[in-house]
Amino acid sequence: MPESTDGTTTTGERAPGPEGKFLFGALSSFQKDTLKLLLELQRQYGGISRVKLGPYEVHQITEPEHVKHVLQDNAKNYVRGKFYRGFNLFFGRGMLTTDGAEWKAKRAVSQPFFHKVKLRANAGIITDTTNDLLEKWAKPSADKEPVDITNDMMWLAMGVLGTMLLGVDLRDWSDRLMPAVRFSFKAMILTGEVKQMLPRWIPTKYQRDLKRYQQDLNDVMDEIIELHRNGGGRPDDLVNALLAARKENGDPWSQREIRAELKTLFLAGHETTGCGLTWTLYAIAQYPEVRRELEAELAGVLGGRVPTAEDLTSLPFLRQVVDEALRLYPPIWLFPRDAVADDTIGGYHIPAGSTVLIPPYAAHHNPETWDNPEAFDPKRFCPAHQGGAEGQGQQNRDRYAYFPFGGGARKCIGMDLALLEIQLAVAMIVQRYQLSLVPGHPVTPGALVSLRPLPQVLMTITPVTQPAAATR
């Protein structure tokens, strides 16, 4: 019998799942509507299922106990793998795409910059950047012109991440970065399209665009590195930490290694936070009763003033709104892993080399775990109702029923920054403007590298009357 990485003998039956077409399995369904397929697998076959996607045998895991097994208890047996190959096109070998000692060394350099105390000390960067956005909205608000909230939330997140971590305002490079981001987040997901499968040396338009946007992204990161080599940025920022870092043999990181880390922080950092902000504002706009309760809480605590990190403990409903938005629309909608050795999960055999897909999207929409899972109900995260999330309790719910930032040692390094940024930005936006969805423009979740609202989130912006001074 095969052995797992911990030396135990693995056994188990073949997990249930659809047979699909002989050659391609469920690949066409995966390409056509990825999220629908993931939901169907969970609801038809439960917490573990098996599906064939082209030449690959894949297992989907949504049962909290099994998610914990892969992400935490037996994490050493599960590495990045084939689903991450497309990420290398734009991320390179950074913190997101590496494993083992290489990953640990990369994470160790960045980790201090994501410490809660340091982030809260720099919360003013978030509120200053959000204020820039509020001022930017003054004209479309006066002209009653709709705006694409997704683009503006990416602009906001880009400004925060660049200033707080890299010592530069990435919005200064937005004209070059944004087109590269839009292209890369489609190119990195391998859908089996012919244009992706053709050899790189064939000079198709897709390949020309791929090279151009790869170069644009590399050029911007090289410019930021060069600026720091010449004394720019802040002495205590992450770029200077990467320049000062040394490997075990004493060698400095190469230009390519530093660039890969910056691309990883930029692409993964601003995109997921921007999506989280967009979905939160989208949900608030759809549920007037949620907005009214949030406005009342903000008025009682802030009275129209700019929030601080210290205010957030007095704004529990704000956190519940954000948690529920991340449940319904988790920006990181999928965590793929490849099994190094054979394993057994839930009595089912997981062959070495096969892929395990862990989709928070499907787990967060599981009716066996969540009452009325398609509804936006922040009260489900009220400690008195059910328990909080990500450190707020969860007394009556399994820790791995809700995992928008993953879990285990590989939990998203930017979790605390994302939560801090989303809460502060939403508090400022809701106090200043009322956002209303433009009728006739339906929005659907898109399973790209992140869970992007597609095609766009058009909203009108109306100033709100400033509340009275805070009463507490």
Side-chain angles (χ1 to χ4, degrees):
M1 293 183 179
E3 289 190 348
S4 66
T5 53
D6 61 7
T8 60
T9 301
T10 61
T11 59
E13 302 176 355
R14 195 166 182 246
E19 292 305 320
K21 297 179 181 179
F22 177 69
L23 289 177
F24 300 104
L27 183 60
S28 61
S29 297
F30 187 79
Q31 294 171 334
K32 183 179 180 180
D33 194 333
T34 303
L35 299 177
K36 180 181 178 182
L37 175 63
L38 300 182
L39 289 175
E40 289 176 348
L41 288 172
Q42 197 285 318
R43 292 176 183 178
Q44 290 182 30
Y45 302 101
I48 180 168
S49 57
R50 173 195 45 78
V51 64
K52 188 172 182 287
L53 299 179
Y56 305 120
E57 182 179 61
V58 172
H59 288 82
Q60 174 171 286
I61 306 289
T62 57
E63 174 68 30
E65 180 183 351
H66 304 337
V67 173
K68 181 174 181 285
H69 176 84
V70 175
L71 295 183
Q72 181 174 320
D73 297 341
N74 198 26
K76 62 183 178 181
N77 189 49
Y78 293 92
V79 297
R80 281 3 200 178
K82 60 182 72 71
F83 271 70
Y84 277 89
R85 290 172 188 165
F87 285 45
N88 290 326
L89 291 171
F90 285 90
F91 282 87
R93 291 192 62 81
M95 189 170 19
L96 182 71
T97 56
T98 52
D99 288 289
E102 184 179 2
W103 166 76
K104 287 182 180 178
K106 294 177 184 298
R107 178 120 176 180
V109 178
S110 296
Q111 189 70 63
F113 294 87
F114 291 92
H115 193 281
K116 275 188 178 181
V117 173
K118 187 175 183 66
L119 294 174
R120 285 174 171 261
N122 287 314
I125 293 173
I126 298 173
T127 53
D128 287 347
T129 310
T130 304
N131 191 62
D132 291 342
L133 175 71
L134 299 179
E135 295 304 316
K136 179 184 176 185
W137 279 352
K139 186 177 187 306
S141 173
D143 296 343
K144 300 186 182 339
E145 295 178 353
V147 299
D148 180 1
I149 296 297
T150 307
N151 282 342
D152 283 342
M153 292 306 106
M154 296 302 167
W155 182 85
L156 168 62
M158 188 182 297
V160 170
L161 183 139
T163 306
M164 187 175 287
L165 298 180
L166 310 185
V168 297
D169 191 338
L170 288 173
R171 293 174 297 179
D172 295 340
W173 285 273
S174 63
D175 289 347
R176 293 156 66 189
L177 289 174
M178 293 301 279
V181 169
R182 284 191 289 269
F183 180 89
S184 69
F185 275 51
K186 293 180 181 179
M188 286 188 285
I189 297 296
L190 301 179
T191 61
E193 293 180 81
V194 174
K195 64 182 181 182
Q196 290 183 319
M197 308 305 288
L198 289 173
R200 297 281 176 82
W201 54 266
I202 299 179
T204 63
K205 181 181 184 303
Y206 176 82
Q207 292 297 340
R208 291 194 298 271
D209 288 344
L210 177 64
K211 291 178 181 178
R212 172 161 63 95
Y213 290 124
Q214 285 175 324
Q215 192 62 52
D216 286 347
L217 192 56
N218 286 340
D219 287 348
V220 170
M221 298 305 144
D222 284 342
E223 289 171 23
I224 293 171
I225 294 169
E226 189 62 24
L227 182 150
H228 282 76
R229 290 191 193 278
N230 292 328
R234 298 195 315 269
D236 62 344
D237 67 35
L238 182 48
V239 183
N240 278 314
L242 292 168
L243 287 168
R246 291 296 181 269
K247 303 176 187 177
E248 287 188 2
N249 63 3
D251 290 343
W253 286 28
S254 69
Q255 181 82 359
R256 174 176 289 186
E257 289 170 323
I258 296 174
R259 184 199 303 141
E261 212 56 41
L262 295 185
K263 288 191 294 185
T264 296
L265 291 165
F266 164 63
L267 288 170
H270 92 280
E271 171 72 17
T272 52
T273 302
C275 284
L277 271 165
T278 303
W279 285 121
T280 303
L281 295 174
Y282 171 79
I284 292 170
Q286 283 196 305
Y287 291 84
E289 68 280 6
V290 170
R291 179 183 174 88
R292 286 193 292 270
E293 184 166 349
L294 181 56
E295 285 176 330
E297 181 179 77
L298 294 172
V301 176
L302 302 176
R305 67 173 170 82
V306 175
T308 66
E310 290 70 29
D311 288 319
L312 296 181
T313 56
S314 301
L315 297 168
F317 189 65
L318 170 63
R319 175 61 187 268
Q320 291 164 33
V321 169
V322 173
D323 285 340
E324 177 68 347
L326 296 179
R327 180 197 67 81
L328 201 56
Y329 306 107
I332 309 173
W333 60 276
L334 182 68
F335 295 98
R337 298 288 189 270
D338 278 10
V340 175
D342 283 17
D343 198 4
T344 302
I345 300 179
Y348 296 110
H349 178 57
I350 307 297
S354 65
T355 295
V356 170
L357 301 181
I358 303 177
Y361 186 85
H364 291 180
H365 288 249
N366 182 1
E368 295 181 4
T369 304
W370 306 91
D371 294 333
N372 195 12
E374 303 306 319
F376 184 78
D377 180 13
K379 293 295 179 66
R380 70 174 88 239
F381 285 99
C382 175
H385 173 65
Q386 178 69 19
E390 293 285 8
Q392 282 191 280
Q394 291 270 34
Q395 295 95 334
N396 302 319
R397 186 182 299 124
D398 194 288
R399 159 68 183 85
Y400 280 93
Y402 178 79
F403 54 105
F405 298 97
R410 299 293 300 247
K411 179 188 284 189
C412 176
I413 193 174
M415 181 187 79
D416 291 326
L417 173 56
L419 290 172
L420 179 66
E421 183 175 342
I422 294 172
Q423 289 177 90
L424 291 175
V426 168
M428 292 180 68
I429 291 168
V430 169
Q431 287 190 106
R432 178 82 170 266
Y433 292 112
Q434 179 170 335
L435 305 183
S436 303
L437 289 163
V438 175
H441 293 273
V443 176
T444 58
L448 303 178
V449 170
S450 59
L451 193 74
R452 269 245 181 183
L454 298 177
Q456 55 188 345
V457 182
L458 288 178
M459 289 190 175
T460 54
I461 305 171
T462 306
V464 299
T465 303
Q466 292 298 312
T471 58
R472 55 186 173 95

